[in-house]
Amino acid sequence: MWAYLLLVLRRQPGKSAMMSGGFLVAACALILLTATTQTTTVQANQIISQSWRPTYDLVVLPANMHIPPGQDVPPDFLEGYSGGISMEEYAQIKQIAGVQVAAPIAYIGYVSLPPQRITFPDRDFAPGFYRLDWNLTAFNGEKHLTEFQERDIYYIFPCGVGYNRYDLSYVIQHPEVQTQAYQDGECPPGAIQGLHPTMRFVSPDLGSFLLAAVDPEAENQLVHLDQSITAGRALTNQDAIHDEDPAKVGGFHFCDQEVQTNPPSCKEIPPVAVPMVIHQNLSGQVSLTTQFSQLALGNLPADQLQQLSNTTFEQQLPGYQNIFNGSVPLVQDDPQNFANTDLAWDGQTWKPQPPPDPYTLKVTLINFYDATTPAGLNYQQATGPDGSPAYQLVANGAEGPEVTFRPLTPLKLLKKSYVDVVYTYDQVGQFSDQSIASQFDNPLNWLPENTYTAPPVMLRYDAQGYPITPTMLLPTTNKAGFLLQPPLALTTLAAAQQLVGNTPINAIRVRVAGVDRANDDSWKKIQQVAGLIHQQTGLTVVITLGSSPRPTLIYVPGAKQGAFGENQAIDPIGWVEERWISIGVSVVYLAHLGAFRLILIGSMLAVCLGYLLVSFSTLAASQRRDCAILSALGWPPWQHARLFLMQTLLFALGGGVAGVGLALIIISALSAIPIWLIVLWTLPAMLVLALLSSLYPLWQFWRISPAEILRGGPAPSASKARRLGGWLRGRLSPIGMLALQNLARSRARTFISALSLFLSAVLLMLILSSILALRQTLLGTLLGNFVLLQTAVPQIAGCVFALLLTFLSVADLLLLQVRERQSEIGLLLAVGWRPQAVQRQFVQEAVVLGMLGVLPGVGAALGLLGAFHIAPAGLPGALIAPLTALLLVLMAGLATIPALRAINRLSVADVLRGE
């Protein structure tokens, strides 16, 4: 028995190598794919464990907060709303089980400071005409915008104290002002002749800033605000609005002009101080420059007065002299001067100085009179220049050279500013956002922290949609722009409640206790806490755990001339890239990863089984003639089955051992992580596959009919052939008809080959659909792009494996067909058939076989995908089925190459002589 077995193996070395190679491929693929998938899982879990938890796990928003449909939310979803969450709801959330930190944010609104005053005390100014130019510019990252321009011309007379100058327009209307001081030797009422004039100018009203409120203790726990204090001290929950010393204010009275009393009804207004910490380095580049020039000394005639606004004329005057040309500190750029309204130029730098007279306020007042709160942005769906889904901002107005996109809502205070109370501020400290911003630097899990930093916005395309050098945009002074500066000052939640009432909170960022790793338990805890918050308060809850930013294109339009009352057109900015937040993508990925691994391994084993069925069927077919001879000599059927089973086990052991060794070598080269339990069970798995795939050939050996086999093999009955031909004769060419009859002649073998193709189609379809579904979920998010890169190896390996086995299955079958039909091929060539016609017959057999197996496989895969709800939507998903079918049918066609080469090597004379 063993001698005959070795003889059989030596007689068919190529077939033996192919059979062992099947087990080698199966064993190697099983270990390699599980190892690469395991490595991917470990790496992805590490990535997600490091990046899946941002600063906060969920955010609580007002009940009327509108969340855009889908998974993505814009980066300003924390700002732009006039409160809505009450202090009682906040206290209730803090008491919910599982809430570790609840940190509220209250964007109070834009408030103003009195304009700064600048002085030139160390210069003796002679009487005459002087010009002061103001120019406010903001660099938005792409270009400098002139936000504000103003030119004032003053006439200075030789008298001091108080207001010692007249505007040019007043001098033109009252020319006697020039002669009064010189000819009459008199000064205007209230002025003193001979007193040195103090040049004090009020800067433009540019002191608006965003004021926000936080809970200091919660903020310290969440972002460690107390560790970012650079001067003074941090806020505490004990800090609240408190009475200010009236002596510091100098007294402030309000007279009600509507009350007709004589004297008018007036009352003293009490001053109160708002505790604040000041943001030390706001993002953005805003600068205020001024030019102070001496135009002419003494008097000017009326005709020259009319031309003083002409720069060319001014520079031709004999007394023209440039006194100062430089920058003036702004509150937003120089918080050290935040508490000083007077800045004096000493010839080199600006220095704060106390007010020069007792009538000037000694503290800075906060102007809540015209305070406003910005609203959110409005988006319209659009298509980006690259064809991706995008959005377009909806403009609602214009402010200087910029379009506005946010409605500004007047701020409603409990006590009216300058009527019921005078608000000052108490600067308790300054903070820097550098250490705070470092907590949000991980791009994989970035979440907007508009309290400290402006969301990053990158200009990608111009207004016409042409790519440009990427440019990071910066916020300007546009309070209603699409990009806002973070708050300049923070106060306490208690102060916010005293200012605007009991519902000041815009959002509450929540961290949940017990969330320490990326797994289902953590996700369930987050969902449970989110459900409790919504159930007990009715507020909107957005789970931010596992989120990742998705770069999204936004078109920022301009304004046409005449729109919003503008005299000039405002150019659009173009297409910018914002970081929209894709909710829960890492959790979705973890679920997909487990399902993908099961689909990959299960489908791979099924395809291996199908391939081995084809291989063993062809092996059994090649030995049927020998078995028929031995049966005629007296061998019982079980002896053939035993011999075939021994061959099967030898192929399984040899190929399995070689496959395990090769897989371990490849895994070592790839630095992958093998699953040793899979490695240990690989050989038993190969033996099981060998037994399953040999069942049909063993059944064939039990049914061997020596006389029929030795006579030349069975053929389909004439009736079947006539029925088949009658239906297809008009639909197929003669060669196609012959190809179909040849497949029908060996129905069992054709069925097994089609089953192998069926399983390959299911495998490839499932892998491609899982990849595409995963990419639709993750692609575009920064975390998703990184994870998809790590999962590329097993995904590509699974697809290549399915295509390779398709090729081998069809090639094996066709080679067997060529060997069995050598006499037929020789006869066809002898009667005049050209070799190309015979080859075309085999190609058509391969294509028909591919369609018989692939199309039902694609249909079955679609049914499975629909059952598991992982079928991707949209046009790419609809292309998966035809793409899979086309690839596999193409591989079936390519698999004819070995058979075609075998046909070319056939010698007609040798074949006919052998017959």
Side-chain angles (χ1 to χ4, degrees):
M1 175 66 70
W2 286 104
Y4 180 75
L5 177 60
L6 294 177
L7 177 63
V8 171
L9 296 178
R10 284 198 304 269
R11 284 173 53 190
Q12 297 178 331
K15 192 64 181 177
S16 300
M18 184 174 292
M19 295 300 304
S20 296
F23 287 103
L24 183 148
V25 171
C28 184
L30 178 62
I31 296 176
L32 189 59
L33 289 180
T34 54
T36 53
T37 306
Q38 174 68 11
T39 304
T40 299
T41 303
V42 172
Q43 292 177 348
N45 277 320
Q46 290 175 350
I47 296 169
I48 292 177
S49 296
Q50 296 169 1
S51 305
W52 85 313
R53 194 178 194 189
T55 316
Y56 43 92
D57 300 326
L58 52 89
V59 59
V60 183
L61 301 169
N64 59 353
M65 170 70 175
H66 173 67
I67 300 295
Q71 276 193 311
D72 297 343
V73 295
D76 71 331
F77 71 100
L78 289 184
E79 66 182 14
Y81 304 96
S82 302
I85 302 177
S86 68
M87 299 295 291
E88 289 78 9
E89 289 170 333
Y90 169 51
Q92 191 176 4
I93 290 173
K94 289 195 296 183
Q95 299 301 320
I96 292 178
V99 173
Q100 182 179 0
V101 179
I105 302 173
Y107 291 101
I108 297 174
Y110 284 103
V111 298
S112 302
L113 297 175
Q116 291 176 321
R117 288 162 297 195
I118 62 173
T119 64
F120 301 93
D122 297 333
R123 185 176 180 97
D124 190 10
F125 298 102
F129 290 89
Y130 294 81
R131 186 189 70 210
L132 186 65
D133 292 311
W134 297 101
N135 188 27
L136 178 71
T137 61
F139 181 62
N140 68 352
E142 180 195 19
K143 58 184 177 181
H144 289 84
L145 301 174
T146 301
E147 305 274 26
F148 176 83
Q149 278 185 326
E150 185 178 75
R151 168 170 290 186
D152 298 313
I153 298 178
Y154 302 103
Y155 170 68
I156 297 177
F157 48 87
C159 301
V161 94
Y163 297 97
N164 47 53
R165 62 181 183 268
Y166 286 122
D167 293 336
L168 175 62
S169 59
Y170 184 84
V171 176
I172 293 176
Q173 296 176 7
H174 302 84
E176 69 276 4
V177 172
Q178 295 188 75
T179 60
Q180 181 180 10
Y182 290 100
Q183 296 178 1
D184 300 341
E186 297 179 358
C187 288
I192 302 176
Q193 185 176 4
L195 185 65
H196 176 72
T198 301
M199 295 300 295
R200 301 175 67 229
F201 299 98
V202 179
S203 67
D205 186 7
L206 305 171
S208 294
F209 66 94
L210 189 58
L211 176 63
V214 296
D215 182 329
E217 292 184 1
E219 208 69 17
N220 295 340
Q221 295 178 31
L222 187 69
V223 297
H224 310 292
L225 177 61
D226 54 340
Q227 299 178 15
S228 301
I229 299 299
T230 58
R233 64 172 179 85
L235 290 169
T236 67
N237 282 341
Q238 286 68 43
D239 289 317
I241 295 178
H242 55 274
D243 295 336
E244 182 62 275
D245 184 2
K248 291 184 178 181
V249 182
F252 198 86
H253 293 78
F254 170 74
C255 296
D256 192 347
Q257 302 297 331
E258 296 182 359
V259 179
Q260 301 297 326
T261 59
N262 191 14
S265 174
C266 297
K267 65 177 180 180
E268 185 171 347
I269 303 176
V272 296
V274 181
M276 295 182 184
V277 290
I278 309 302
H279 201 161
Q280 186 172 326
N281 47 345
L282 282 181
S283 56
Q285 298 180 20
V286 182
S287 60
L288 176 64
T289 59
T290 185
Q291 181 177 358
F292 184 48
S293 304
Q294 174 184 290
L295 302 181
L297 299 178
N299 299 335
L300 288 176
D303 59 336
Q304 293 187 0
L305 289 178
Q306 299 289 344
Q307 301 184 56
L308 279 185
S309 58
N310 187 328
T311 304
T312 303
F313 171 77
E314 292 172 350
Q315 294 178 353
Q316 295 175 354
L317 293 173
Y320 181 82
Q321 180 184 1
N322 184 28
I323 299 175
F324 173 82
N325 189 3
S327 298
V328 177
L330 287 171
V331 168
Q332 291 89 337
D333 300 328
D334 193 356
Q336 285 81 5
N337 294 317
F338 190 69
N340 300 279
T341 58
D342 280 31
L343 297 175
W345 179 253
D346 64 0
Q348 295 181 347
T349 60
W350 292 100
K351 291 185 177 180
Q353 68 173 14
D357 55 69
Y359 302 101
T360 304
L361 297 177
K362 298 179 178 62
V363 297
T364 301
L365 299 181
I366 304 175
N367 181 13
F368 284 98
Y369 182 75
D370 55 355
T372 57
T373 300
L377 297 169
N378 291 320
Y379 297 92
Q380 291 180 344
Q381 291 187 347
T383 301
D386 58 354
S388 64
Y391 296 91
Q392 176 175 333
L393 287 174
V394 179
N396 66 352
E399 182 176 306
E402 297 180 88
V403 177
T404 60
F405 301 97
R406 302 173 185 269
L408 296 176
T409 305
L411 180 63
K412 296 180 180 180
L413 297 176
L414 295 181
K415 296 182 178 180
K416 292 184 179 180
S417 180
Y418 297 122
V419 176
D420 299 324
V421 70
V422 176
Y423 289 102
T424 69
Y425 74 93
D426 178 12
Q427 180 179 335
V428 301
Q430 297 179 15
F431 73 94
S432 171
D433 70 341
Q434 294 180 355
S435 61
I436 298 177
S438 64
Q439 303 175 48
F440 319 126
D441 284 345
N442 187 349
L444 300 183
N445 66 3
W446 178 89
L447 279 179
E449 271 298 344
N450 303 327
T451 312
Y452 304 102
T453 59
V457 174
M458 188 74 68
L459 182 62
R460 293 289 187 182
Y461 302 89
D462 62 15
Q464 288 71 40
Y466 295 107
I468 61 175
T469 302
T471 303
M472 184 68 71
L473 295 186
L474 302 173
T476 63
T477 62
N478 186 358
K479 295 183 293 185
F482 75 98
L483 187 60
L484 300 181
Q485 283 190 341
L488 175 66
L490 298 179
T491 187
T492 63
L493 205 59
Q497 186 179 13
Q498 292 173 277
L499 287 171
V500 297
N502 195 43
T503 58
I505 302 173
N506 298 83
I508 302 175
R509 299 153 295 163
V510 177
R511 283 183 74 87
V512 177
V515 177
D516 53 358
R517 64 184 60 187
N519 54 27
D520 290 338
D521 292 339
S522 297
W523 181 247
K524 290 178 181 177
K525 288 180 181 178
I526 299 292
Q527 288 181 315
Q528 182 179 7
V529 173
L532 288 175
I533 293 176
H534 179 70
Q535 180 181 359
Q536 296 185 21
T537 64
L539 300 173
T540 302
V541 183
V542 178
I543 298 177
T544 55
L545 181 73
S547 300
S548 183
R550 183 188 301 273
T552 304
L553 289 178
I554 308 294
Y555 181 71
V556 185
K560 296 180 180 180
Q561 184 177 2
F564 311 117
E566 289 295 305
N567 296 326
Q568 296 181 346
I570 300 176
D571 295 333
I573 292 179
W575 292 90
V576 302
E577 182 183 87
E578 288 187 343
R579 292 183 180 180
W580 284 48
I581 311 304
S582 191
I583 302 298
V585 290
S586 62
V587 179
V588 174
Y589 169 72
L590 288 176
H592 275 77
L593 184 61
F596 176 76
R597 181 161 61 172
L598 291 177
I599 289 173
L600 184 64
I601 296 175
S603 301
M604 181 209 65
L605 291 176
V607 171
C608 287
L609 178 61
Y611 169 70
L612 292 174
L613 276 172
V614 174
S615 299
F616 282 126
S617 180
T618 57
L619 178 64
S622 66
Q623 296 179 3
R624 290 181 67 200
R625 190 174 183 85
D626 292 344
C627 292
I629 295 174
L630 292 175
S631 296
L633 295 176
W635 274 41
W638 61 266
Q639 194 75 358
H640 305 304
R642 178 185 175 190
L643 178 64
F644 187 83
L645 190 58
M646 291 174 63
Q647 294 181 68
T648 301
L649 295 179
L650 286 176
F651 293 147
L653 288 174
V657 171
V660 170
L662 180 61
L664 291 178
I665 293 174
I666 297 175
I667 286 173
S668 177
L670 296 176
S671 300
I673 303 173
I675 303 178
W676 293 109
L677 184 62
I678 297 293
V679 174
L680 293 176
W681 279 96
T682 296
L683 284 180
M686 294 302 103
L687 294 177
V688 172
L689 282 177
L691 291 175
L692 292 176
S693 56
S694 62
L695 291 178
Y696 175 73
L698 292 176
W699 177 75
Q700 285 182 312
F701 282 122
W702 279 99
R703 299 177 66 253
I704 287 179
S705 175
E708 184 178 348
I709 292 175
L710 294 176
R711 187 171 61 245
S717 64
S719 60
K720 291 183 179 180
R722 283 194 299 270
R723 289 197 299 269
L724 184 64
W727 186 76
L728 293 176
R729 187 172 292 110
R731 295 173 175 82
L732 295 177
S733 64
I735 294 179
M737 188 65 190
L738 184 58
L740 191 60
Q741 289 176 349
N742 288 330
L743 290 175
R745 186 165 57 181
S746 53
R747 292 184 297 275
R749 192 183 306 156
T750 301
F751 173 76
I752 294 175
S753 300
L755 177 63
S756 177
L757 295 176
F758 174 88
L759 295 174
S760 296
V762 172
L763 171 64
L764 185 58
M765 184 75 178
L766 292 180
I767 290 177
L768 290 177
S769 298
S770 298
I771 292 173
L772 187 55
L774 184 60
R775 288 178 66 84
Q776 285 181 339
T777 303
L778 297 182
L779 186 61
T781 67
L782 301 182
L783 176 62
N785 290 340
F786 191 78
V787 167
L788 288 173
L789 180 64
Q790 303 300 317
T791 59
V793 173
Q795 292 171 353
I796 295 174
C799 296
V800 171
F801 182 72
L803 296 174
L804 176 62
L805 289 184
T806 300
F807 179 88
L808 293 177
S809 298
V810 178
D812 203 9
L813 175 66
L814 294 179
L815 281 175
L816 177 63
Q817 295 278 55
V818 171
R819 285 196 298 267
E820 288 185 344
R821 291 156 49 189
Q822 286 185 8
S823 59
E824 295 179 15
I825 296 172
L827 182 60
L828 291 174
L829 294 175
V831 298
W833 276 46
R834 301 180 64 181
Q836 291 81 2
V838 178
Q839 290 174 344
R840 190 161 64 249
Q841 175 187 347
F842 277 87
V843 171
Q844 291 191 11
E845 288 183 26
V847 172
V848 171
L849 180 64
M851 295 178 65
L852 290 175
V854 169
L855 296 182
V858 169
L862 288 175
L864 289 174
L865 292 172
F868 287 101
H869 304 288
I870 59 174
L875 183 60
L879 291 177
I880 289 181
L883 178 62
T884 301
L886 181 62
L887 281 175
L888 291 177
V889 172
L890 179 62
M891 291 304 297
L894 293 176
T896 60
I897 294 176
L900 300 181
R901 295 185 61 185
I903 293 173
N904 283 333
R905 291 195 296 266
L906 284 179
S907 170
V908 177
D910 292 341
V911 171
L912 294 179
R913 185 170 55 249
E915 289 297 318

